[in-house]
Amino acid sequence: MKAQSREEVIKQICDFMGEDLDGEACKEVQEHISACPTCKVYFDTVKKTVTLCRENDADEKIPDDVNERLFKVLKLEDLQKK
Amino acid sequence: MTETLLVQKAKQGDKQALAQLVSQYSERIYNLALRILRNREDAEDILQETFMTVIEKLHTFDGRSGFFTWIYRIATNASLMKLRKKKVNFTEIPDNMDLHNLVDKESFVDWSHDPLWNIQNKEVKSLLDNAINELSDIYRTVFILRDIEQLSIKETAKILNISEENVKIRLRRARLFLREKLSEHFSERVIES
């Protein structure tokens, strides 16, 4: 990466943060992250934040009673597969 | 039977096809509403409301956007309406969220590799729930659709009826806001230990 102000670099990293974190969207930014310990910590903690939120909100099985009430409200109870 | 055919049959009044569509989507819609509203009763209300709207409006569905996008849009809008009615006090994300905490800092505390921070830890779970609860509706929906549901930027933009650029901006701010929330807590612990 060419010599840039810290603000410019951070701006690019911020833009990258709106992309797929594992994607190839901005190789230059990824190269910078791997060479700059400060930005790497920032990037790693954003990534960990997303991972934790994803694990915390993992898919739940729909409760049977919720499903039964749904089919009843829709007047489809005779067609509900159990 | 393909989804297009199922939708077509349901539109013609085939209850079997309709029931199959409900079975196919009920769990996804329930989880989506639960993620946005963070409350099981509310998620059930949205689940029922979404499918009632689907039945009522199915004749207007023209297939241009795909059934998945259409039903997700209905469920997201219904969840947003409910969230707004609850009048929760969200934390305002400043417009300079992208930069304000970064420019002057020389270093950050790295808590990302600490095995203590996992969701089996009740304190972490509650911290995550509180952080998402503080996220206002426009940021919350983008974060949930894109980062939790892992939909593409394009799909997220279509569901929310906003531009892809807007999705990226909101996603970036949501991610940085949540990182700040967790960092306030985790960094202290790392420094203490």
Side-chain angles (χ1 to χ4, degrees):
Chain A
M1 186 177 277
K2 288 173 207 159
Q4 289 172 307
S5 72
R6 184 169 181 77
E7 190 162 335
E8 279 170 347
V9 171
I10 286 166
K11 231 177 184 161
Q12 284 187 30
I13 291 174
C14 286
D15 283 343
F16 178 60
M17 293 293 183
E19 300 282 346
D20 183 350
L21 292 176
D22 292 314
E24 290 283 301
C26 188
K27 274 199 164 169
E28 213 178 359
V29 171
Q30 279 180 328
E31 275 166 25
H32 174 86
I33 289 168
S34 61
C36 171
T38 305
C39 292
K40 185 168 184 337
V41 169
Y42 197 79
F43 180 75
D44 285 349
T45 47
V46 172
K47 225 174 145 176
K48 179 75 174 183
T49 300
V50 173
T51 306
L52 283 174
C53 288
R54 200 174 283 163
E55 287 171 1
N56 189 42
D57 273 1
D59 277 340
E60 279 189 21
K61 201 182 169 305
I62 188 166
D64 289 342
D65 56 333
V66 171
N67 221 12
E68 269 170 33
R69 284 193 291 272
L70 172 67
F71 276 80
K72 200 171 176 189
V73 161
L74 303 176
K75 298 187 174 69
L76 294 170
E77 61 265 52
D78 297 342
L79 298 164
Q80 187 190 356
K81 281 184 189 160
K82 306 245 173 163
Chain B
M1 199 184 297
T2 64
E3 188 171 279
T4 314
L5 196 56
L6 267 182
V7 172
Q8 204 180 323
K9 280 179 172 268
K11 271 175 103 167
Q12 289 161 354
D14 183 334
K15 286 204 161 191
Q16 196 99 41
L18 181 63
Q20 208 171 322
L21 280 174
V22 176
S23 298
Q24 252 170 244
Y25 279 98
S26 58
E27 196 154 292
R28 286 197 77 169
I29 299 300
Y30 178 74
N31 274 290
L32 172 68
L34 188 56
R35 284 166 182 146
I36 296 175
L37 292 156
R38 332 286 305 164
N39 174 296
R40 287 183 173 74
E41 276 178 28
D42 290 340
E44 182 174 357
D45 286 348
I46 297 303
L47 177 70
Q48 294 184 0
E49 194 182 324
T50 299
F51 282 105
M52 276 153 67
T53 307
V54 166
I55 291 170
E56 193 191 323
K57 309 259 183 194
L58 196 56
H59 68 282
T60 67
F61 174 69
D62 56 15
R64 265 186 301 180
S65 62
F67 187 73
F68 164 80
T69 307
W70 189 67
I71 192 170
Y72 251 57
R73 191 180 293 149
I74 293 170
T76 306
N77 285 340
S79 302
L80 276 175
M81 292 274 280
K82 199 165 190 84
L83 192 62
R84 284 170 189 156
K85 271 188 199 154
K86 287 176 150 249
K87 294 186 177 154
V88 182
N89 287 326
F90 305 121
T91 303
E92 284 291 320
I93 298 185
D95 287 343
N96 63 350
M97 179 74 208
D98 303 338
L99 295 171
H100 83 292
N101 263 312
L102 278 169
V103 178
D104 300 329
K105 284 199 178 175
E106 283 307 312
S107 63
F108 299 98
V109 177
D110 187 4
W111 47 264
S112 67
H113 301 292
D114 193 324
L116 255 183
W117 311 134
N118 65 70
I119 57 149
Q120 272 71 49
N121 179 336
K122 278 186 183 164
E123 194 185 340
V124 173
K125 255 188 108 47
S126 136
L127 192 68
L128 289 166
D129 287 331
N130 290 339
I132 292 191
N133 262 330
E134 277 191 50
L135 210 52
S136 68
D137 49 0
I138 62 164
Y139 296 106
R140 193 185 301 194
T141 43
V142 167
F143 181 75
I144 285 165
L145 290 172
R146 178 76 184 103
D147 272 346
I148 308 293
E149 300 259 337
Q150 298 185 67
L151 303 183
S152 67
I153 287 175
K154 199 175 177 180
E155 282 171 317
T156 305
K158 272 188 179 174
I159 289 163
L160 296 174
N161 205 17
I162 57 175
S163 69
E164 290 182 29
E165 193 48 40
N166 215 338
V167 169
K168 290 181 191 179
I169 293 169
R170 290 184 192 183
L171 179 67
R172 187 169 74 214
R173 288 190 182 153
R175 282 172 174 171
L176 299 188
F177 173 81
L178 292 170
R179 192 211 85 96
E180 290 303 308
K181 284 281 148 193
L182 301 195
S183 291
E184 282 167 16
H185 184 86
F186 292 163
S187 301
E188 266 177 39
R189 296 298 185 86
V190 172
I191 290 164
E192 277 170 17
S193 60

